[in-house]
Structures are given as C-alpha cells and as structure tokens.
Coordinates of all heavy atoms in Angstrom, one line a residue:
M1 N -8.5 9.9 7.5 CA -8.1 9.5 8.9 C -6.9 8.6 8.7 O -6.9 7.7 7.9 CB -9.3 8.8 9.5 CG -8.9 8.2 10.9 SD -10.4 7.6 11.8 CE -9.6 6.8 13.1
K2 N -6.0 8.8 9.6 CA -4.7 8.0 9.5 C -4.6 7.1 10.8 O -5.0 7.5 11.9 CB -3.5 8.9 9.3 CG -3.5 9.5 8.0 CD -2.3 10.4 7.8 CE -2.2 10.9 6.4 NZ -1.0 11.8 6.3
V3 N -4.0 6.0 10.6 CA -3.8 5.1 11.7 C -2.3 5.1 12.0 O -1.5 4.9 11.2 CB -4.3 3.7 11.4 CG1 -4.0 2.8 12.5 CG2 -5.7 3.7 11.0
K4 N -2.0 5.3 13.3 CA -0.6 5.2 13.7 C -0.3 3.7 14.2 O -1.0 3.2 15.0 CB -0.3 6.1 14.8 CG -0.3 7.6 14.4 CD 1.1 7.9 13.9 CE 1.1 9.4 13.5 NZ 2.3 9.8 12.8
I5 N 0.7 3.2 13.6 CA 1.1 1.8 14.0 C 2.4 1.9 14.7 O 3.4 2.4 14.1 CB 1.1 0.9 12.8 CG1 -0.3 0.8 12.1 CG2 1.5 -0.5 13.2 CD1 -0.3 0.0 10.8
K6 N 2.5 1.4 15.9 CA 3.7 1.6 16.6 C 4.9 0.7 16.2 O 6.0 1.1 16.0 CB 3.4 1.5 18.1 CG 2.7 2.6 18.7 CD 2.9 2.9 20.1 CE 2.4 4.2 20.6 NZ 1.0 4.4 20.4
S7 N 4.5 -0.6 16.0 CA 5.6 -1.5 15.6 C 5.1 -2.1 14.3 O 4.0 -2.5 14.1 CB 5.9 -2.6 16.6 OG 4.8 -3.4 16.7
W8 N 6.0 -2.2 13.3 CA 5.6 -2.6 12.0 C 6.4 -3.9 11.6 O 7.5 -3.8 11.2 CB 6.0 -1.4 11.0 CG 5.5 -1.7 9.6 CD1 6.4 -1.8 8.5 CD2 4.2 -1.8 9.1 NE1 5.6 -2.0 7.4 CE2 4.3 -2.0 7.7 CE3 2.9 -1.7 9.7 CZ2 3.1 -2.1 6.9 CZ3 1.8 -1.9 8.9 CH2 1.9 -2.1 7.5
T9 N 5.7 -4.9 11.9 CA 6.3 -6.2 11.7 C 5.7 -6.8 10.4 O 4.8 -7.7 10.5 CB 6.1 -7.2 12.9 OG1 4.8 -7.1 13.3 CG2 7.0 -6.8 14.0
M10 N 6.1 -6.3 9.3 CA 5.5 -6.6 8.0 C 5.5 -8.1 7.7 O 4.5 -8.6 7.2 CB 6.2 -5.8 6.9 CG 5.5 -5.7 5.7 SD 5.9 -4.1 4.9 CE 6.7 -4.7 3.4
A11 N 6.6 -8.7 7.9 CA 6.7 -10.1 7.5 C 5.7 -11.0 8.2 O 5.2 -11.9 7.7 CB 8.1 -10.6 7.8
A12 N 5.4 -10.7 9.5 CA 4.6 -11.5 10.3 C 3.1 -11.3 10.0 O 2.3 -12.3 10.0 CB 4.8 -11.2 11.8
Y13 N 2.7 -10.1 9.6 CA 1.3 -9.8 9.4 C 0.9 -9.5 8.0 O -0.3 -9.2 7.7 CB 0.9 -8.6 10.3 CG 1.1 -8.9 11.8 CD1 2.2 -8.4 12.5 CD2 0.2 -9.8 12.4 CE1 2.4 -8.7 13.8 CE2 0.4 -10.1 13.8 CZ 1.5 -9.6 14.5 OH 1.7 -9.9 15.8
W14 N 1.8 -9.6 7.1 CA 1.5 -9.3 5.7 C 0.9 -10.6 5.0 O 1.5 -11.3 4.3 CB 2.7 -8.9 5.0 CG 2.5 -8.0 3.9 CD1 2.7 -8.3 2.5 CD2 2.1 -6.6 3.9 NE1 2.4 -7.1 1.8 CE2 2.0 -6.1 2.6 CE3 1.8 -5.8 5.0 CZ2 1.7 -4.8 2.3 CZ3 1.4 -4.5 4.7 CH2 1.4 -4.0 3.4
T15 N -0.4 -10.8 5.3 CA -1.0 -12.1 4.9 C -1.7 -12.0 3.5 O -1.8 -12.9 2.8 CB -1.9 -12.6 5.9 OG1 -2.8 -11.6 6.3 CG2 -1.2 -13.1 7.1
W16 N -2.4 -10.8 3.3 CA -3.1 -10.7 2.1 C -2.2 -10.5 0.9 O -1.1 -10.0 1.0 CB -4.2 -9.6 2.2 CG -3.6 -8.3 2.7 CD1 -3.4 -8.0 4.0 CD2 -3.2 -7.1 2.0 NE1 -2.9 -6.7 4.2 CE2 -2.8 -6.2 2.9 CE3 -3.1 -6.8 0.6 CZ2 -2.3 -4.9 2.5 CZ3 -2.6 -5.6 0.2 CH2 -2.2 -4.7 1.2
D17 N -2.7 -11.0 -0.3 CA -1.9 -10.9 -1.5 C -1.8 -9.4 -2.0 O -2.8 -8.8 -2.1 CB -2.5 -11.7 -2.6 CG -2.2 -13.2 -2.3 OD1 -1.2 -13.5 -1.6 OD2 -2.9 -14.1 -2.9
V18 N -0.6 -9.0 -2.2 CA -0.4 -7.7 -2.7 C -0.2 -7.8 -4.2 O 0.7 -8.4 -4.7 CB 0.9 -7.0 -2.1 CG1 1.1 -5.6 -2.7 CG2 0.8 -7.0 -0.6
K19 N -1.2 -7.2 -4.9 CA -1.1 -7.2 -6.4 C 0.0 -6.2 -6.8 O 0.2 -5.2 -6.1 CB -2.4 -6.8 -7.0 CG -3.5 -7.8 -6.8 CD -4.7 -7.5 -7.6 CE -5.2 -6.1 -7.3 NZ -6.4 -6.1 -6.5
E20 N 0.6 -6.5 -7.9 CA 1.7 -5.6 -8.3 C 1.2 -4.2 -8.6 O 1.8 -3.2 -8.4 CB 2.3 -6.1 -9.6 CG 3.7 -5.6 -9.9 CD 4.4 -6.3 -11.0 OE1 4.2 -7.5 -11.2 OE2 5.2 -5.6 -11.7
D21 N -0.1 -4.1 -9.0 CA -0.7 -2.8 -9.2 C -0.8 -2.0 -7.9 O -1.0 -0.8 -8.0 CB -2.1 -3.0 -9.8 CG -2.1 -3.4 -11.2 OD1 -0.9 -3.5 -11.8 OD2 -3.1 -3.7 -11.8
D22 N -0.8 -2.6 -6.8 CA -0.9 -1.9 -5.6 C 0.4 -1.4 -5.0 O 0.5 -1.0 -3.9 CB -1.6 -2.8 -4.5 CG -3.1 -3.1 -5.0 OD1 -3.6 -2.2 -5.7 OD2 -3.6 -4.1 -4.6
L23 N 1.5 -1.6 -5.7 CA 2.8 -1.3 -5.2 C 3.3 -0.1 -5.9 O 3.2 0.1 -7.1 CB 3.8 -2.5 -5.5 CG 3.4 -3.8 -4.8 CD1 4.5 -4.8 -5.2 CD2 3.2 -3.6 -3.3
C24 N 4.0 0.8 -5.2 CA 4.6 1.9 -5.7 C 5.7 1.4 -6.7 O 6.6 0.6 -6.3 CB 5.2 2.8 -4.6 SG 6.3 4.1 -5.1
G25 N 5.8 2.0 -7.9 CA 6.7 1.5 -8.9 C 8.2 1.9 -8.6 O 9.1 1.4 -9.2
I26 N 8.3 2.8 -7.6 CA 9.7 3.2 -7.3 C 10.3 2.4 -6.1 O 11.4 1.9 -6.2 CB 9.7 4.7 -7.0 CG1 9.2 5.5 -8.3 CG2 11.1 5.2 -6.6 CD1 9.1 7.0 -8.1
C27 N 9.5 2.4 -5.1 CA 10.1 1.7 -3.9 C 9.5 0.3 -3.7 O 10.0 -0.5 -2.8 CB 9.8 2.6 -2.6 SG 8.1 2.6 -2.2
H28 N 8.4 0.0 -4.4 CA 7.8 -1.3 -4.3 C 7.2 -1.6 -3.0 O 6.9 -2.7 -2.6 CB 8.8 -2.5 -4.7 CG 9.2 -2.3 -6.1 ND1 10.5 -2.2 -6.5 CD2 8.5 -2.3 -7.3 CE1 10.7 -2.0 -7.8 NE2 9.5 -2.1 -8.3
N29 N 6.9 -0.6 -2.2 CA 6.1 -0.7 -1.0 C 4.6 -0.5 -1.5 O 4.4 0.1 -2.5 CB 6.4 0.4 0.0 CG 7.7 0.0 0.8 OD1 8.2 -1.1 0.6 ND2 8.1 0.9 1.6
A30 N 3.7 -1.0 -0.7 CA 2.3 -0.8 -1.0 C 1.9 0.6 -0.9 O 2.5 1.4 -0.2 CB 1.4 -1.7 -0.1
Y31 N 0.9 1.0 -1.7 CA 0.5 2.4 -1.6 C -0.1 2.8 -0.2 O 0.1 3.9 0.2 CB -0.7 2.7 -2.6 CG -0.2 2.6 -4.1 CD1 -0.9 1.9 -5.0 CD2 1.0 3.3 -4.5 CE1 -0.5 1.8 -6.3 CE2 1.4 3.2 -5.8 CZ 0.7 2.5 -6.7 OH 1.1 2.5 -8.0
D32 N -0.7 1.8 0.4 CA -1.2 2.2 1.8 C -0.2 2.0 2.9 O -0.4 2.3 4.0 CB -2.5 1.4 2.1 CG -2.3 -0.1 2.0 OD1 -1.2 -0.5 1.7 OD2 -3.3 -0.8 2.2
A33 N 1.0 1.6 2.5 CA 2.2 1.7 3.4 C 2.9 3.0 3.1 O 2.6 3.6 2.1 CB 3.1 0.5 3.3
C34 N 3.9 3.3 3.8 CA 4.6 4.5 3.5 C 5.9 4.2 2.7 O 6.3 3.0 2.6 CB 4.9 5.3 4.7 SG 6.1 4.5 5.8
C35 N 6.5 5.2 2.2 CA 7.7 4.9 1.4 C 8.9 4.7 2.4 O 8.8 4.9 3.6 CB 8.0 6.1 0.5 SG 8.6 7.6 1.4
P36 N 10.0 4.2 1.9 CA 11.1 3.8 2.8 C 11.7 5.1 3.5 O 12.4 4.9 4.5 CB 12.2 3.2 1.8 CG 11.4 2.8 0.6 CD 10.3 3.8 0.5
Q37 N 11.5 6.2 2.9 CA 12.0 7.4 3.6 C 11.2 7.8 4.8 O 11.7 8.6 5.6 CB 12.0 8.6 2.6 CG 12.8 8.4 1.4 CD 12.5 9.4 0.2 OE1 12.8 10.5 0.3 NE2 11.9 8.9 -0.8
C38 N 10.1 7.3 5.0 CA 9.3 7.6 6.1 C 9.5 6.5 7.2 O 9.5 5.4 6.8 CB 7.8 7.7 5.7 SG 7.4 9.2 4.7
S39 N 9.5 6.9 8.4 CA 9.9 6.0 9.5 C 8.8 5.0 9.8 O 9.1 3.9 10.1 CB 10.2 6.8 10.7 OG 9.2 7.7 11.1
M40 N 7.5 5.4 9.6 CA 6.5 4.4 9.9 C 5.2 4.8 9.1 O 5.0 5.9 8.8 CB 6.2 4.4 11.4 CG 5.6 5.7 11.9 SD 5.1 5.6 13.6 CE 6.7 5.4 14.5
P41 N 4.3 3.8 8.9 CA 3.1 4.1 8.3 C 2.3 5.1 9.1 O 2.3 5.0 10.3 CB 2.3 2.7 8.3 CG 3.4 1.7 8.4 CD 4.5 2.4 9.2
G42 N 1.6 6.0 8.4 CA 0.9 7.0 9.1 C 1.6 8.3 9.1 O 1.1 9.3 9.4
D43 N 2.9 8.3 8.8 CA 3.6 9.5 8.5 C 3.0 10.2 7.3 O 2.3 9.6 6.6 CB 5.1 9.2 8.3 CG 5.9 9.1 9.5 OD1 5.3 9.2 10.6 OD2 7.1 8.9 9.4
D44 N 3.3 11.4 7.2 CA 2.7 12.2 6.1 C 3.3 11.8 4.8 O 4.1 12.5 4.2 CB 2.9 13.7 6.4 CG 2.1 14.5 5.4 OD1 1.1 14.0 4.8 OD2 2.4 15.7 5.3
C45 N 2.8 10.7 4.3 CA 3.4 10.1 3.0 C 2.2 10.0 2.0 O 1.5 9.0 2.0 CB 4.0 8.8 3.3 SG 5.0 8.2 1.9
S46 N 2.0 11.0 1.3 CA 0.8 11.0 0.4 C 1.1 10.3 -0.9 O 2.3 10.1 -1.3 CB 0.3 12.4 0.2 OG 1.3 13.3 -0.2
L47 N 0.1 10.1 -1.7 CA 0.2 9.5 -3.1 C 0.0 10.6 -4.1 O -0.8 11.5 -3.9 CB -0.8 8.4 -3.3 CG -0.7 7.2 -2.3 CD1 -1.8 6.2 -2.6 CD2 0.7 6.5 -2.5
V48 N 0.7 10.5 -5.2 CA 0.4 11.4 -6.3 C 0.1 10.6 -7.6 O 0.7 9.6 -7.8 CB 1.6 12.4 -6.6 CG1 1.8 13.4 -5.4 CG2 2.9 11.6 -6.8
W49 N -0.8 11.1 -8.3 CA -1.2 10.6 -9.6 C -0.5 11.4 -10.7 O -0.6 12.6 -10.7 CB -2.7 10.6 -9.8 CG -3.5 9.5 -9.2 CD1 -4.0 8.4 -9.8 CD2 -3.8 9.4 -7.8 NE1 -4.6 7.6 -8.8 CE2 -4.5 8.2 -7.6 CE3 -3.5 10.1 -6.6 CZ2 -4.9 7.7 -6.4 CZ3 -4.0 9.7 -5.4 CH2 -4.7 8.5 -5.3
G50 N 0.0 10.7 -11.7 CA 0.6 11.4 -12.8 C -0.4 11.3 -14.0 O -1.4 10.6 -14.0
Q51 N -0.1 12.2 -15.0 CA -1.0 12.2 -16.2 C -1.0 10.9 -16.9 O -1.9 10.5 -17.6 CB -0.5 13.3 -17.1 CG -1.6 14.0 -17.9 CD -1.2 15.4 -18.2 OE1 -0.1 15.7 -18.6 NE2 -2.1 16.3 -18.1
C52 N 0.1 10.1 -16.7 CA 0.2 8.8 -17.4 C -0.6 7.7 -16.6 O -0.6 6.6 -17.0 CB 1.6 8.4 -17.6 SG 2.5 8.3 -16.0
S53 N -1.2 8.1 -15.5 CA -2.1 7.2 -14.7 C -1.3 6.4 -13.7 O -1.8 5.6 -13.0 CB -3.0 6.3 -15.5 OG -2.3 5.2 -16.0
H54 N 0.0 6.6 -13.7 CA 0.8 5.9 -12.7 C 0.7 6.6 -11.3 O 0.5 7.9 -11.3 CB 2.3 5.8 -13.1 CG 2.5 4.7 -14.1 ND1 3.0 5.0 -15.4 CD2 2.2 3.4 -14.1 CE1 3.0 3.8 -16.1 NE2 2.5 2.9 -15.4
V55 N 0.8 5.9 -10.3 CA 0.7 6.5 -8.9 C 2.0 6.1 -8.1 O 2.5 5.0 -8.2 CB -0.5 5.9 -8.2 CG1 -0.7 6.5 -6.8 CG2 -1.8 6.0 -9.0
F56 N 2.5 7.1 -7.5 CA 3.7 6.9 -6.6 C 3.5 7.6 -5.3 O 2.7 8.5 -5.2 CB 4.9 7.4 -7.3 CG 5.2 6.8 -8.7 CD1 4.9 7.6 -9.8 CD2 5.7 5.6 -8.8 CE1 5.1 7.0 -11.1 CE2 5.9 5.0 -10.0 CZ 5.6 5.7 -11.2
H57 N 4.3 7.2 -4.3 CA 4.4 8.0 -3.1 C 5.0 9.3 -3.5 O 5.9 9.4 -4.3 CB 5.3 7.3 -2.1 CG 4.8 6.0 -1.6 ND1 5.5 4.8 -1.9 CD2 3.8 5.7 -0.8 CE1 4.8 3.8 -1.3 NE2 3.8 4.3 -0.7
L58 N 4.4 10.4 -2.8 CA 4.9 11.7 -3.1 C 6.4 11.8 -2.9 O 7.2 12.4 -3.7 CB 4.2 12.7 -2.2 CG 4.8 14.1 -2.2 CD1 4.5 14.8 -3.6 CD2 4.1 15.0 -1.1
H59 N 6.9 11.2 -1.8 CA 8.4 11.3 -1.5 C 9.2 10.5 -2.6 O 10.3 10.9 -2.9 CB 8.6 10.7 -0.1 CG 7.9 11.5 1.0 ND1 7.4 10.8 2.1 CD2 7.5 12.8 1.0 CE1 6.8 11.7 2.8 NE2 6.9 12.9 2.2
C60 N 8.6 9.4 -3.1 CA 9.4 8.6 -4.1 C 9.5 9.4 -5.4 O 10.6 9.5 -5.9 CB 8.7 7.3 -4.3 SG 8.7 6.2 -2.9
I61 N 8.4 10.0 -5.8 CA 8.5 10.7 -7.1 C 9.3 12.0 -7.0 O 10.0 12.4 -7.9 CB 7.1 10.9 -7.7 CG1 7.1 11.3 -9.2 CG2 6.3 12.0 -6.9 CD1 7.6 10.2 -10.1
E62 N 9.2 12.6 -5.8 CA 10.0 13.8 -5.6 C 11.5 13.5 -5.7 O 12.2 14.2 -6.3 CB 9.7 14.4 -4.2 CG 8.5 15.3 -4.2 CD 8.3 15.9 -2.8 OE1 8.8 15.4 -1.8 OE2 7.5 16.9 -2.7
Q63 N 11.9 12.4 -5.0 CA 13.3 12.0 -5.0 C 13.7 11.6 -6.5 O 14.8 11.9 -6.9 CB 13.5 10.9 -4.1 CG 15.0 10.6 -3.8 CD 15.1 9.4 -2.8 OE1 14.6 8.3 -3.1 NE2 15.8 9.6 -1.7
W64 N 12.8 10.9 -7.1 CA 13.1 10.4 -8.5 C 13.3 11.7 -9.4 O 14.2 11.7 -10.2 CB 11.9 9.6 -9.0 CG 12.0 9.3 -10.5 CD1 11.3 10.0 -11.5 CD2 12.8 8.3 -11.2 NE1 11.6 9.5 -12.7 CE2 12.6 8.5 -12.5 CE3 13.7 7.4 -10.7 CZ2 13.2 7.7 -13.5 CZ3 14.4 6.6 -11.7 CH2 14.1 6.7 -13.0
L65 N 12.4 12.6 -9.4 CA 12.4 13.8 -10.2 C 13.7 14.6 -9.9 O 14.3 15.1 -10.8 CB 11.2 14.6 -10.1 CG 9.9 14.0 -10.6 CD1 8.7 14.9 -10.3 CD2 9.9 13.6 -12.1
A66 N 14.0 14.6 -8.7 CA 15.2 15.4 -8.3 C 16.5 14.8 -8.8 O 17.5 15.4 -9.1 CB 15.3 15.5 -6.7
S67 N 16.4 13.5 -9.1 CA 17.6 12.8 -9.6 C 17.7 12.8 -11.1 O 18.7 12.4 -11.7 CB 17.6 11.3 -9.1 OG 16.6 10.6 -9.8
Q68 N 16.6 13.3 -11.7 CA 16.6 13.4 -13.2 C 17.3 14.6 -13.7 O 17.2 15.7 -13.1 CB 15.1 13.5 -13.6 CG 14.3 12.2 -13.3 CD 14.3 11.2 -14.4 OE1 13.7 11.5 -15.5 NE2 14.9 10.1 -14.2
T69 N 18.2 14.4 -14.7 CA 18.9 15.5 -15.2 C 18.2 16.2 -16.4 O 18.5 17.3 -16.7 CB 20.3 15.1 -15.6 OG1 20.2 14.0 -16.4 CG2 21.1 14.7 -14.3
N70 N 17.4 15.4 -17.1 CA 16.8 15.9 -18.3 C 15.3 16.2 -18.1 O 14.5 15.9 -19.0 CB 17.0 14.9 -19.4 CG 16.5 13.5 -19.1 OD1 16.2 13.3 -17.9 ND2 16.4 12.7 -20.1
G71 N 14.9 16.7 -17.0 CA 13.5 16.9 -16.8 C 12.8 15.7 -16.2 O 13.4 14.6 -16.2
G72 N 11.7 15.9 -15.7 CA 11.0 14.8 -15.0 C 10.3 13.8 -15.9 O 9.5 14.2 -16.7
T73 N 10.6 12.6 -15.8 CA 9.8 11.6 -16.6 C 9.4 10.5 -15.6 O 10.0 10.3 -14.6 CB 10.7 10.9 -17.6 OG1 11.9 10.3 -17.0 CG2 11.2 11.9 -18.7
C74 N 8.3 9.8 -16.0 CA 7.7 8.8 -15.2 C 8.7 7.6 -15.2 O 9.2 7.2 -16.3 CB 6.4 8.3 -15.7 SG 5.7 6.9 -14.9
P75 N 9.1 7.1 -14.0 CA 10.0 5.9 -14.0 C 9.4 4.7 -14.6 O 10.2 3.7 -14.9 CB 10.3 5.8 -12.5 CG 9.1 6.4 -11.8 CD 8.7 7.5 -12.7
M76 N 8.2 4.6 -14.8 CA 7.5 3.4 -15.3 C 7.5 3.4 -16.9 O 7.7 2.4 -17.5 CB 6.1 3.2 -14.8 CG 6.0 3.2 -13.3 SD 6.8 1.7 -12.6 CE 5.6 0.5 -12.8
D77 N 7.2 4.5 -17.4 CA 7.0 4.5 -18.9 C 7.8 5.6 -19.6 O 7.8 5.8 -20.8 CB 5.5 4.7 -19.2 CG 4.9 5.9 -18.5 OD1 5.6 6.8 -18.2 OD2 3.7 5.8 -18.3
R78 N 8.6 6.4 -18.8 CA 9.5 7.4 -19.3 C 8.7 8.5 -20.1 O 9.3 9.2 -20.9 CB 10.5 6.8 -20.3 CG 11.3 5.7 -19.6 CD 12.3 6.3 -18.6 NE 12.9 5.3 -17.8 CZ 14.0 5.4 -17.1 NH1 14.7 6.5 -17.1 NH2 14.4 4.4 -16.3
K79 N 7.4 8.7 -19.8 CA 6.7 9.8 -20.3 C 7.0 11.0 -19.4 O 7.3 10.8 -18.3 CB 5.2 9.5 -20.4 CG 4.8 8.5 -21.4 CD 3.3 8.3 -21.3 CE 2.9 7.2 -22.3 NZ 1.5 6.7 -22.1
T80 N 6.8 12.2 -20.0 CA 7.0 13.4 -19.2 C 6.1 13.3 -18.0 O 4.9 13.1 -18.1 CB 6.8 14.6 -20.0 OG1 7.6 14.6 -21.1 CG2 7.0 15.9 -19.2
W81 N 6.6 13.5 -16.8 CA 5.8 13.4 -15.6 C 5.0 14.7 -15.4 O 5.6 15.8 -15.5 CB 6.7 13.1 -14.4 CG 5.8 13.1 -13.1 CD1 5.6 14.1 -12.2 CD2 5.0 12.0 -12.7 NE1 4.7 13.7 -11.3 CE2 4.4 12.4 -11.5 CE3 4.8 10.7 -13.2 CZ2 3.5 11.5 -10.8 CZ3 3.9 9.8 -12.5 CH2 3.3 10.3 -11.3
S82 N 3.8 14.6 -15.2 CA 2.9 15.7 -14.8 C 2.0 15.3 -13.8 O 1.2 14.4 -14.0 CB 2.2 16.2 -16.1 OG 1.3 17.3 -15.7
T83 N 2.1 15.9 -12.6 CA 1.2 15.5 -11.5 C -0.2 15.9 -11.8 O -0.5 17.1 -12.1 CB 1.7 16.1 -10.2 OG1 3.1 15.7 -10.0 CG2 0.8 15.7 -9.0
V84 N -1.1 15.0 -11.7 CA -2.6 15.3 -11.8 C -3.2 15.7 -10.5 O -3.9 16.7 -10.4 CB -3.3 14.1 -12.5 CG1 -4.8 14.4 -12.5 CG2 -2.8 13.9 -13.9
S85 N -3.0 14.9 -9.5 CA -3.6 15.1 -8.2 C -2.8 14.5 -7.2 O -2.1 13.5 -7.4 CB -5.0 14.7 -8.2 OG -5.1 13.3 -8.3
A86 N -2.9 14.9 -6.0 CA -2.3 14.4 -4.8 C -3.3 14.1 -3.7 O -4.3 14.8 -3.6 CB -1.2 15.3 -4.3
A87 N -3.1 13.0 -3.0 CA -4.1 12.7 -1.9 C -3.3 12.3 -0.7 O -2.2 11.8 -0.8 CB -5.0 11.5 -2.4
T88 N -3.9 12.5 0.4 CA -3.2 12.1 1.6 C -3.9 10.8 2.2 O -5.0 10.5 1.9 CB -3.3 13.2 2.7 OG1 -4.6 13.6 2.8 CG2 -2.4 14.3 2.3
Ligands
ZN101 ZN1 7.2 4.6 -3.0
ZN102 ZN1 7.1 8.9 2.4
ZN103 ZN1 3.8 6.5 -16.0

C-alpha cells in the first residue's frame, strides 16, 4: 500500500534520525522516500537488492548502470552488480 503525499516539506517534518544504512547510496534519500527523479513520494519508485546486499532505488541503480561503460558495478563496493530482488 502506498501513501500519496501532496506536499513534501521534508525539512519541517523530518524529525526522526535517519541512519546512514537507511539511505540510498546513490542519491542519499531515504529508502522509504523516492529518488530525486521521481516527483513525489508514492510514485512508482521501487527498491532493488543487489547480490552484494546493497539496496538502491530502482531508478538510481538504473541510471547508475546506464552511466557505466565497463559493465555494471555496485557504486558502493564496485562489485559486479547483480539484482537479487525488487520490491515496491
Ligand atoms: Zn536513490
Ligand atoms: Zn524513483
Ligand atoms: Zn554493493
């Protein structure tokens, strides 16, 4: 189930501590927020798990892999990226 939020005033309501582990390693947005390419939380911005156990927004890793010239590697550890599973 997804929640549509009409106005996203992150600075005002972002009170809980965001652990670094909860942030996408590419865009540094929280996993439960959407990536910068999506206009608002609740857009179809799913997460993908890689074989190296890192998690990114689908759009972030897609863009990252598209920018790679020597095959896809994880931006965190430079291991060959292999998607294990995706969730919405
Ligand atoms: Zn991201
Ligand atoms: Zn997105
Ligand atoms: Zn990794």
Side-chain angles (χ1 to χ4, degrees):
M1 174 167 175
K2 290 181 175 178
V3 179
K4 288 277 183 189
I5 300 174
K6 287 207 166 57
S7 67
W8 185 244
T9 47
M10 198 148 113
Y13 296 105
W14 209 249
T15 51
W16 47 279
D17 284 339
V18 179
K19 293 191 301 257
E20 200 170 329
D21 286 356
D22 294 333
L23 301 180
C24 172
I26 298 174
C27 69
H28 298 120
N29 282 355
Y31 291 134
D32 56 3
C34 67
C35 75
Q37 296 164 72
C38 291
S39 54
M40 64 174 68
D43 276 1
D44 188 19
C45 193
S46 51
L47 299 174
V48 292
W49 278 256
Q51 211 151 45
C52 59
S53 83
H54 285 121
V55 184
F56 303 102
H57 296 112
L58 173 65
H59 301 145
C60 291
I61 194 67
E62 274 182 342
Q63 192 181 55
W64 167 263
L65 294 176
S67 73
Q68 297 266 293
T69 52
N70 57 346
T73 56
C74 174
M76 303 296 279
D77 53 28
R78 304 285 167 165
K79 289 178 184 168
T80 303
W81 179 262
S82 175
T83 301
V84 173
S85 64
T88 50

